[in-house]
Amino acid sequence: MIEEYADRVWRGEMADSIVDNGMDGKGVQTIAGGLGWWPGFGNVITFETEGELLLFDTSSPFSTAKLYEDVRAWSSAPLTSAFFSHGHIDHVFGVAPFEQDRRATVYAHEAVAERFARYVLTNGYNSVINQRQFQAPNLRWPMDYRQPDVSYRDALTVRAGGLTFELFHAKGETDDATVAYVPEHRLLLPGDLFIWVTPNCGNPQKVQRYPREWVHALRRMAALDAEIMLPSHGAPIFGAARIRTALLETAEWLESLVTQTLDLLNAGARLDEIVHTVKPLEHLADRPYLRARYDEPEFIVRNLWRLYGGWYDGNPANLKPASDAAIASAVAGLAGGASALADAALKALADGDERLAGNLAEMAALAAPDDAGVHRVRAEVFSTRARTEQSLMAQSIYTWAAAESAKRA
């Protein structure tokens, strides 16, 4: 029973999040009469009402066929309306198979179309960073997107079939997010504004996120007093008290990072000091929905600096620095060669200072890019770092770096 499954996730007995797809491949799960939940990497919320099929989010280009098959096993009604919670590709690619006989109406925030245009402009970059993030070397970023038919700026109410979709715009992980509330089911659809891990608003390879605005969105959602919440990643939450707790504690956790960062920024601290000073709230550390498994607090701090402080980090040497390779070559010369830096990296790794080991190993490789021995050390350092990190963001970047050097060792 889906309520029992959701209860186990709530109690931390099993994981279902943007990182742990607990019920991926299980097909549409009926939540209530005419309401279904399709779990995957990019959940889809399904509605059958007055002979119409409605979808909130439509998953990724990699699961289009499976989504269509599973939804059709749940309902044969024609798709008349679809809602995009935002423009990330794991939410917007499942409409086409349903439109073979008739075109649906797609609703989204006005910035979704701007996102799609940017994806075309930076197609190569998005291919590279997502290959690295998901360890998918053959991934190619899409060029063609299903454009919304109806867009809005602040809020929009849509009547579809026998249901009401109260939509409002929020900033958080993206600048184009839509939250939906369906009063007939007392249902909250937060999209990616709740993903069963710490908020994804520091992602080091992606465009600007909005942590402070995300806090406001979480509290606005909590005030709706929903009885069911179906995120676009991770398990359902049932019960108004649990929903409010999850949303408000996430807001408290994130607001603390925002406040600490802004206090230090306003005091004139450098980015380096802020990154190594700001800490998440300890009393919320055991919450199953606040584990740093995807993004992490340190990256959120850096994103806040980028949002409020620009790119200059307060270190005058970094305003117009020498190239990384030139600095590495100079340091290697002082140390007695790139191999000496590599040895120092291994010592730091053995001493448990993985951060310093990473710096030294990278310097060694930049100073001697063709030295197989140096690359063996770099591969060892970053593979070790990947194994000891908790967040997917850190794991993926370190794994990619280790693989680069393994090929050259």
Side-chain angles (χ1 to χ4, degrees), residues 73-124:
W74 184 78
S75 172
S76 60
L79 178 68
T80 60
S81 302
F83 303 86
F84 292 164
S85 68
H86 59 296
H88 283 166
I89 69 166
D90 51 325
H91 300 267
V92 299
F93 267 91
V95 176
F98 294 95
E99 293 190 308
Q100 298 173 51
D101 299 320
R102 59 177 291 177
R103 184 177 174 88
T105 301
V106 173
Y107 299 86
H109 185 259
E110 63 183 11
V112 165
E114 298 169 11
R115 172 179 298 278
F116 292 164
R118 175 168 55 79
Y119 279 165
V120 172
L121 186 67
T122 59
N123 177 268

Side-chain angles (χ1 to χ4, degrees), residues 5-183:
Y5 173 79
D7 185 60
R8 293 186 65 194
V9 175
W10 176 265
R11 287 186 276 116
E13 296 176 2
M14 59 191 311
D16 189 348
S17 69
I18 194 170
V19 181
D20 312 282
N21 299 318
M23 293 192 69
D24 192 4
K26 301 293 186 181
V28 177
Q29 306 295 305
T30 297
I31 302 297
L35 172 61
W37 172 66
W38 184 85
F41 188 77
N43 299 338
V44 177
I45 318 307
T46 63
F47 303 85
E48 187 175 43
T49 172
E50 297 184 354
E52 300 180 30
L53 174 68
L54 318 173
L55 301 177
F56 186 87
D57 277 340
T58 64
S59 203
S60 78
F62 314 109
S63 56
T64 299
K66 180 62 174 170
L67 171 67
Y68 181 75
E69 175 187 344
D70 289 345
V71 171
R72 279 293 168 241
W74 184 78
S75 172
S76 60
L79 178 68
T80 60
S81 302
F83 303 86
F84 292 164
S85 68
H86 59 296
H88 283 166
I89 69 166
D90 51 325
H91 300 267
V92 299
F93 267 91
V95 176
F98 294 95
E99 293 190 308
Q100 298 173 51
D101 299 320
R102 59 177 291 177
R103 184 177 174 88
T105 301
V106 173
Y107 299 86
H109 185 259
E110 63 183 11
V112 165
E114 298 169 11
R115 172 179 298 278
F116 292 164
R118 175 168 55 79
Y119 279 165
V120 172
L121 186 67
T122 59
N123 177 268
Y125 175 72
N126 277 287
S127 293
V128 169
I129 62 175
N130 283 281
Q131 288 168 10
R132 186 185 298 127
Q133 180 168 314
F134 297 107
Q135 302 301 301
N138 296 319
L139 185 150
R140 294 294 178 268
W141 204 248
M143 289 289 284
D144 298 314
Y145 298 87
R146 173 59 162 86
Q147 298 292 332
D149 301 293
V150 178
S151 61
Y152 74 100
R153 177 163 297 176
D154 298 316
L156 178 69
T157 298
V158 176
R159 284 286 298 175
L163 298 175
T164 308
F165 290 79
E166 299 174 357
L167 313 178
F168 66 85
H169 173 236
K171 284 185 174 183
E173 181 187 39
T174 67
D175 61 357
D176 59 356
T178 288
V179 174
Y181 180 69
V182 184

Side-chain angles (χ1 to χ4, degrees), residues 265-280:
L265 186 149
N266 285 324
R270 292 184 179 189
L271 175 59
D272 179 72
E273 177 186 348
I274 297 175
V275 164
H276 291 95
T277 300
V278 173
K279 304 297 179 187

Side-chain angles (χ1 to χ4, degrees), residues 208-213 302-310:
Q208 186 66 59
R209 272 78 160 106
Y210 304 90
R212 184 167 174 269
E213 291 83 353
R302 290 185 179 278
N303 204 17
L304 283 161
W305 179 281
R306 178 172 66 172
L307 179 61
Y308 295 115

Side-chain angles (χ1 to χ4, degrees), residues 243-308:
I243 293 169
R244 281 181 55 82
T245 295
L247 294 173
L248 292 178
E249 287 190 342
T250 302
E252 180 186 1
W253 184 94
L254 186 54
E255 186 175 51
S256 173
L257 296 182
V258 173
T259 300
Q260 291 178 67
T261 301
L262 287 177
D263 284 349
L264 287 165
L265 186 149
N266 285 324
R270 292 184 179 189
L271 175 59
D272 179 72
E273 177 186 348
I274 297 175
V275 164
H276 291 95
T277 300
V278 173
K279 304 297 179 187
L281 293 172
E282 290 188 8
H283 74 276
L284 297 177
D286 65 343
R287 303 301 194 267
Y289 43 82
L290 288 176
R291 298 165 300 166
R293 295 281 320 285
Y294 195 58
D295 207 335
E296 57 183 279
E298 182 173 329
F299 301 156
I300 294 172
V301 171
R302 290 185 179 278
N303 204 17
L304 283 161
W305 179 281
R306 178 172 66 172
L307 179 61
Y308 295 115

